[in-house]
Amino acid sequence: MKKYILRRLLQLIPVLLGIAVISFLLLHMIPGDPATVLLGQEATPEEIERLQENLGLNDPLPVQLFNYLGSIVTFDLGTSIFRGEEVSTIILTALPATIELAVCSLLISLIIAVPLGIIAAVRQNTFLDYFSMFFAQLGISMPVFWLGVLLIMGFSVHLGWFPSFGRGEPLTEGFIHLFTTGSFSVLFASLKHLFLPALSLGVMGSAMITRMIRSTMIEVLDMDYIRTMRAGGTIEFLIVMKYAFRNALLPVITIVGLQFGNLLGGAIVTETIFGWPGLGSLVISSISQRDFPIVQGVVLTIALLFALVNLIVDLLYARINPKIRHN
Amino acid sequence: MKQLKRYVKNKSVVIGFTIISLVILAAIFAPYLTPYDPTEMDMSKRLISPNSEHLLGTDEFGRDLLTRLLYGARVSLFVGFISVSVAMTIGVLLGLISGYYGKWVDTIIMRIVDIFLSFPVILLAIALVAALGPGLGNVVIALGLVYWTNYARVVRSTVLAVKEEEYVQAAITMGASNLRIIFKYILPNVTAPIIVVATLGLGVAIVAEATLSFLGLGIQPPEPSWGWTLSVGLDFIRNAPYLSVFPGIAIMITVLGFNLLGDGLRDITDPKLNK
């Protein structure tokens, strides 16, 4: 297992390097002089020159790349043009909100997808199966921002049950408050703010996972050992949950890892709709402010997060399935 | 004929094909289906709810929403088809090269694929459009540049299997050039998986375009775009909710059509599933 972990970590190095190079090249894809474009028409030549100096644009391209790679190793992502603060500080402030949203969305995805996928497989070609697959197909075809808008319309505007904008206290604060004072109020307010954005992202994520669980469960339920158990009179619930689902879980873990990346992507739009103060809102507002160091920093951070999640998923997969380690 | 029967028997293919055909016909014949202009404003008719004159109502500038959606279909389909063509060209070429030549060429191309797969694709598209600037052309370029990896992976894996076939080995023995082998003997055998990936990719590209336009980075007003119309609808969510509902339905139905068609084609062309 140690060898496998080491190999996967080594494989991650070129990927991380590539991510950094793409993030670096983004600034250079701006047509014309990036400093002039970023500062706009009203900027004075002195301001443009200062920004060129700050962004290191006066150096030759290979030197700029080398400096950029050197600085991101120390998590120095430069200074925000618009806010004047360190980009890494701004990102670290917004990151917990995005992680909170993505993790809760993933939980909702699993809460929806696991029972739906299992029921669809066990009751294959019945109404329940068709309903699950119809739901999954809709979930895949529906743009995540539209679902967000529909949820706001229904639960915020019409029913007034949930706020449509902003974030309460972080969930961790809510739990701390609950354990120290015994009061649910802070946690409840946080959950109320979190529910709609997490649900809209969660439904999107659940569609793919439902399909995956259904197809792997159908495959496993058709295996000889399951037939033998049925013939031996084992209770059907036990067969499905204990013996079939555990084996069907393997490919599902991979798709859950990939879905986490999709959730991070979906979070960009969802955060914008719900005014959720995470990396998504940050990147969109930075684009409108032409604050490119932040855009580069967010791209780098999200890609890094995604690469790490995939690494964890791979390691988890290898831990559960010894065949992977040996291959 | 036998092949055609298999397509007609597949429900996904039939439903998906019907939906897509209707959307394409609606986009082509938009000027004949509606008497209104998609960009002409009439402030005396702003935010009128759906009625017999304006079946889906009017927007904040008094433009007929149905007309905007019909013309918007042209934009969405155009972006979808062109960006998929760009992505397909890049992906298929790199996949062919990677699978056929193998060794270090394969390693380098596959590592580049890995790097692209490390980004949530929509984030990369957003960042690219942010750098290049909003607009139809840049959206197409950005989507083409970020969605090529699927084609490369599918083509590569098919090439790896096809190049071991006897007829390819025979062509190599007879001294056929690499280009001839790749384009004459290998490419025809990878078209089926490419068509499946492209069909599913069209749905993805349409959602991505709508997402970029929703964020104000895609098609710029007054051009009719489903994503932008939906985004503006958010400002009028209390008194004109239909402005957000109908564009979403248009996007979802179109994407559903491509997804059903792609799923059906995959079921038919994938021998493993046929078993």
Side-chain angles (χ1 to χ4, degrees), chain B residues 87-130:
Chain B
M88 192 162 65
T89 309
I90 302 171
V92 170
L93 277 177
L94 290 178
L96 283 170
I97 294 169
S98 179
Y100 185 74
Y101 289 102
K103 295 177 187 166
W104 61 270
V105 179
D106 181 35
T107 309
I108 290 176
I109 293 175
M110 284 303 111
R111 285 298 82 77
I112 296 173
V113 169
D114 284 346
I115 291 164
F116 272 82
L117 290 176
S118 305
F119 291 94
V121 183
I122 194 68
L123 171 69
L124 201 53
I126 289 171
L128 276 174
V129 177

Side-chain angles (χ1 to χ4, degrees), chain A residues 6 42 60 71-72 109 128 135 219 270 272 287 296 302 319:
Chain A
L6 195 69
E42 289 127 37
S71 58
I72 59 172
S109 291
L128 282 172
F135 165 81
E219 226 168 86
T270 308
T272 312
I287 287 171
Q296 283 178 296
I302 291 187
R319 176 102 193 103

Side-chain angles (χ1 to χ4, degrees), chain A residues 154-221:
Chain A
F155 290 100
S156 263
V157 176
H158 190 63
L159 296 169
W161 289 355
F162 297 98
S164 64
F165 204 80
R167 182 193 187 204
E169 291 293 323
L171 271 188
T172 44
E173 289 292 321
F175 279 112
I176 291 170
H177 195 259
L178 172 67
F179 292 129
T180 50
T181 65
S183 160
F184 272 104
S185 58
V186 176
L187 182 63
F188 189 63
S190 302
L191 287 172
K192 268 180 95 171
H193 277 92
L194 180 64
F195 183 70
L196 291 185
L199 183 65
S200 76
L201 265 179
V203 168
M204 180 199 80
S206 69
M208 212 61 194
I209 303 175
T210 304
R211 278 170 70 145
M212 191 72 190
I213 291 179
R214 177 185 177 270
S215 65
T216 46
M217 276 294 281
I218 287 174
E219 226 168 86
V220 173
L221 283 171

Side-chain angles (χ1 to χ4, degrees), chain A residues 26-45:
Chain A
L26 280 174
L27 182 71
H28 294 272
M29 291 182 85
I30 296 174
D33 173 40
T36 315
V37 176
L38 295 179
L39 287 174
Q41 298 289 328
E42 289 127 37
T44 61

Side-chain angles (χ1 to χ4, degrees), chain A residues 15 18-19 26 29-31 137 140-141 143 145-146 149 153 211 261 265 268-269 273 287 290 292 299 302-303 306, chain B residues 115 117-120 122-123 126-128 130-131 211 214-215 217 230 241 244-245 248-249 251-252 256 259-260 263 266:
Chain A
V15 172
I19 290 169
L26 280 174
M29 291 182 85
I30 296 174
Q137 195 63 263
I140 291 168
S141 307
F145 54 86
W146 187 51
V149 171
M153 222 180 266
R211 278 170 70 145
I268 296 167
V269 195
I273 300 169
I287 287 171
R290 315 286 299 153
F292 231 73
V299 168
I302 291 187
F306 189 22
Chain B
I115 291 164
L117 290 176
S118 305
F119 291 94
I122 194 68
L123 171 69
I126 289 171
L128 276 174
T211 306
F214 181 84
L215 295 170
L217 297 167
L230 207 159
S244 302
V245 173
I249 292 175
I251 299 168
M252 192 179 70
L256 185 68
N259 284 348
L260 287 173
D263 282 351
R266 186 177 49 202

Side-chain angles (χ1 to χ4, degrees), chain B residues 180-191:
Chain B
R180 187 178 165 82
I181 294 168
I182 290 174
F183 288 103
K184 185 140 194 248
Y185 300 110
I186 294 181
L187 187 61
N189 285 292
V190 296
T191 44

